[in-house]
């Protein structure tokens, strides 16, 4: 039986959103929610946004996010989607993971990448989610069926 699944994603350019929506159609018992940074956090320019994110990481000061009030423990599995920013998940994902402390279910991350450092993303996601039960990290939707069943 498929696990009750929550799909959360942050998408700066729209690629991760498209992938999250595709995954949502593949999992019958799933909910889909967007994680967004508060207005004014990032720039419309990709390179400036990347610099802002690197400054946040260096200062260990992550952005506030906009997200519906969710009881994470109503789900068996939470899939978290992000793009790769200089080998890191998008910084709003760190804020999300911090808000998920105490979640007892499984967590996995899917990511979209344009040739960025995939291995670093996997390591940074696991580091940021160290208090959660991370069952996997994979590019695109390559492991979704495995995680859900």
């Amino acid at each position: 039986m498929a696990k009750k699944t929550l799909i959360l994603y942050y998408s700066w350019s729209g690629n991760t959103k498209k992938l999250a929506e595709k995954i949502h159609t593949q999992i019958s018992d799933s909910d889909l929610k967007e994680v967004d940074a508060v207005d004014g956090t990032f720039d419309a320019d990709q390179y400036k946004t990347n610099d802002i994110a690197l400054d946040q990481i260096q200062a260990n000061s992550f952005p506030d996010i906009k997200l519906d009030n969710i009881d994470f423990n109503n789900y068996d599995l939470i899939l978290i989607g992000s793009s790769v920013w200089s080998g890191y998940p998008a910084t709003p994902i760190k804020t999300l993971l911090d808000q998920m402390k105490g979640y007892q279910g499984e967590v996995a991350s899917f990511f979209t990448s344009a040739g960025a450092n995939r291995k670093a993303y996997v390591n940074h996601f696991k580091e940021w989610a160290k208090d959660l039960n991370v069952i996997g990290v994979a590019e695109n939707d390559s492991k979704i069926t495995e995680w859900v069943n």
Side-chain angles (χ1 to χ4, degrees), residues 7 18-30 32:
I7 304 161
K18 288 177 192 166
L19 180 59
E21 289 170 343
K22 176 185 174 195
I23 291 168
H24 179 55
T25 65
Q26 296 171 351
I27 304 172
S28 59
D29 194 12
S30 67
L32 177 67

Side-chain angles (χ1 to χ4, degrees), residues 65-149:
I65 59 172
K66 297 185 283 187
L67 179 66
D68 295 339
N69 190 13
I70 298 170
D71 183 350
F72 298 116
N73 284 308
N74 286 337
Y75 298 91
D76 304 308
L77 172 65
I78 298 178
L79 299 176
I80 300 173
S82 178
S83 52
V84 180
W85 290 358
S86 294
Y88 285 86
T91 54
I93 297 301
K94 172 67 164 97
T95 305
L96 169 66
L97 292 167
D98 289 346
Q99 290 181 6
M100 290 175 59
K101 283 193 179 9
Y103 171 61
Q104 299 299 308
E106 298 174 327
V107 175
S109 179
F110 61 94
F111 62 91
T112 56
S113 173
N117 190 335
R118 294 163 177 87
K119 186 180 243 184
Y121 177 96
V122 171
N123 293 334
H124 291 301
F125 182 88
K126 288 178 178 179
E127 176 188 323
W128 285 359
K130 66 182 179 293
D131 297 325
L132 300 169
N133 179 20
V134 177
I135 62 167
V137 180
E139 187 169 10
N140 297 320
D141 59 350
S142 60
K143 299 283 187 179
I144 300 300
T145 302
E146 176 184 323
W147 295 336
V148 171
N149 296 314

